[in-house]
Amino acid sequence: NFEDAKDAIQYRQSGFSLIAYNFGDMGAMMKGKKPFDAETFAMRAKNVAALSHIPFEGFIEGSDKGDTEALAKVWQDKADFDAKMKTFQENAAILATVAQKGDQAEIKQAFMDTGKSCKGCHDVYKKD
Ligand code: ASC
């Protein structure tokens, strides 16, 4: 368990940083900013699927105060927040699966769905 809110905030932010790095590299490939490399993409997708389960644990009661971009709304609407987090985890798992198979259309769709679940949560629960 975390010592305090500061530890919990650090933990979830570390998870999000790793997710952003891996997802961002996939995004660069999807946007054609760098060549698509199937093996690297599948590795990144697998990382995001695993990492998608990390931040959740850090959203403990009372950790809306401190050096965080999470809005108090996370804890006010916790059931909806949890559901959105779960949707993200499900989409990330699908992305990891289709990235293994290698069908470009499926990959594109799964990547967009995952990105939408990032943004869908940020729009509501994250400071801009
Ligand atoms: C990223 C990133 C996000 C998401 C979001 C997707 O690469 O850092 O927060 O994608 O922009 O819509």
Side-chain angles (χ1 to χ4, degrees), residues 13-51:
Q13 288 180 346
S14 301
F16 283 130
S17 293
L18 294 170
I19 291 167
Y21 182 83
N22 282 275
F23 195 76
D25 196 53
M26 286 191 275
M29 290 187 221
M30 286 284 99
K31 288 178 199 147
K33 286 183 180 170
K34 64 190 285 187
F36 183 84
D37 178 74
E39 203 178 313
T40 303
F41 191 96
M43 180 270 284
R44 301 251 173 259
K46 193 178 161 197
N47 286 351
V48 171
L51 290 164

